[in-house]
Amino acid sequence: MPYEVRAVVAVKKGAPVEVQTIIVPDPGPGEVLVTVQACGVCHTDLHYREGAVDDGFPFLLGHEAAGTIEAVGEGVTDLRTGDYVVLAWRAPCGSCRSCRRGRPWYCFDSRNAARPMTLPDGTPLSNALGIGAFAGKTVVAAGQAVKIDPAARPEAASLIGCGVMAGYGAAVNTGNVGRGDTVAVIGCGGVGDAAIAGACLNGAMKVIAVDIDDKRLDRAERFGATHTVNSRGTDPVEAVRALTDGFGVDIAIDAVGHPETFLQAFYMRDHAGLLVQVGVPSPQTKVELPLLDVFSRGGAIKSSWYGDCLPSRDFPFLIDQYLYGLLDLNAFVTETIALDQVEEAFTRMQRGEVLRSVVVL
């Protein structure tokens, strides 16, 4: 039996989002129906609204969500009604060449629900990142729903579905930060702060937060930054080198995705250091580097897509860290809002006034 629920829809490029009634079907084979309890407002949702991802309007926005399983489709055996889950926008297929080689975090055929949600007139909706969770209910592939400890608050738990996982994973999975390492993180938004927290939890000796806003730098210290650099009036490369005996850091994480921050991260590394790119650049962005510098400095440049995570492994672990008091997910939640406040939340996000707004349903 189809369900009618309220949801946030981006109707056309650049237009304010609208709260509309949508039709959510019963789950098909290999799918689950999830009652959404909380969903974070992520920059990617704004990118969809602006047409920066693709032009498949209308979009059903929201992808950083936690909720409970309301129904399961045929063939689903590892989830049942009432399970508390976080939704993942990548669900490894288990059979592509990457999964077969033991690298499921690079899966080339990530699973999504096949049955579309629609407007009342039958118009199909494109789900943001294959989820669409600014809604009372959503249908996803069973592999996208990761069971977690029900003791975790939905507002906090939802954030590991995207931003926190991306930042934490950039440090831990992609950057492989270890005991005694020195780390610099450029950009202290939600992803950058999660990278700082991950680096600290994994034993980094020194974690340097770099941003142009003193308030963000103060907040970065709450997540474990040992030093801060305001790059608005200071050369961040020289400042980071001064804090590391002139050598530079072992791992530099660019959580912004601009050419300037990429170059800063490249040059603030020690010789043979690692640059991790987790900030999402615009399609038009280009970087120019002397090839000799790439060769002579050694090390590596790696992109981190979704923190190179395996949701079934990493989500429960991060929730445990939260419940043990080691990862302060509550600190990422700046405000809780209703569905009809998402457009205003986009504005506050663009102004840098919030770390995360979270829709609570």
Side-chain angles (χ1 to χ4, degrees), residues 97-357:
R97 63 189 187 278
S98 184
C99 287
R100 292 197 308 270
R101 296 178 68 189
R103 302 170 182 173
W105 44 88
Y106 296 140
C107 176
F108 302 125
D109 192 21
S110 181
R111 298 309 192 205
N112 294 125
R115 305 194 70 187
M117 289 173 274
T118 68
L119 296 177
D121 65 4
T123 301
L125 294 161
S126 300
N127 298 353
L129 288 176
I131 293 180
F134 285 150
K137 302 180 191 297
T138 190
V139 172
V140 296
Q144 293 179 274
V146 180
K147 188 176 178 180
I148 62 164
D149 191 320
R153 295 174 59 231
E155 306 95 297
S158 66
L159 302 185
I160 69 169
C162 187
V164 169
M165 186 69 258
Y168 182 97
V172 176
N173 295 334
T174 313
N176 196 28
V177 173
R179 289 191 298 270
D181 281 339
T182 54
V183 180
V185 178
I186 304 175
C188 299
V191 173
D193 284 344
I196 289 169
C200 293
L201 282 172
N202 243 37
M205 175 181 67
K206 188 173 291 185
V207 180
I208 305 167
V210 182
D211 203 287
I212 59 173
D213 187 313
D214 283 332
K215 290 183 180 179
R216 292 182 184 178
L217 292 170
D218 290 342
R219 187 177 61 206
E221 291 181 328
R222 178 175 179 179
F223 291 99
T226 59
H227 300 76
T228 62
V229 172
N230 189 321
S231 58
R232 184 178 293 278
T234 302
D235 182 336
V237 175
E238 292 304 317
V240 166
R241 290 190 174 280
L243 290 168
T244 53
D245 299 322
F247 298 118
V249 292
D250 299 305
I251 300 103
I253 300 172
D254 177 12
V256 179
H258 292 169
E260 183 179 2
T261 55
F262 180 92
L263 291 173
Q264 290 169 354
F266 179 84
Y267 285 109
M268 66 176 54
R269 299 173 303 149
D270 196 352
H271 284 289
L274 172 64
L275 190 166
V276 176
Q277 177 68 45
V278 65
V280 181
S282 69
Q284 298 78 27
T285 301
K286 295 182 179 180
V287 172
E288 184 174 323
L289 270 171
L291 190 56
L292 182 60
D293 285 358
V294 176
F295 172 78
S296 62
R297 296 183 61 81
I301 298 172
K302 298 178 69 175
S303 62
S304 182
W305 201 42
Y306 206 8
D308 289 344
C309 78
L310 183 58
S312 60
R313 174 196 67 191
D314 293 336
F315 285 12
F317 173 78
L318 290 182
I319 290 298
D320 284 347
Q321 297 298 291
Y322 164 61
L323 294 175
Y324 295 153
L326 299 174
L327 177 62
D328 189 0
L329 292 178
N330 294 327
F332 288 92
V333 182
T334 306
E335 61 178 2
T336 55
I337 61 173
L339 275 177
D340 58 6
Q341 295 175 301
V342 168
E343 185 64 35
E344 291 81 2
F346 282 151
T347 300
R348 290 190 290 275
M349 181 175 65
Q350 288 177 299
R351 292 174 178 167
E353 297 172 358
V354 295
L355 193 53
R356 261 306 187 266
S357 303

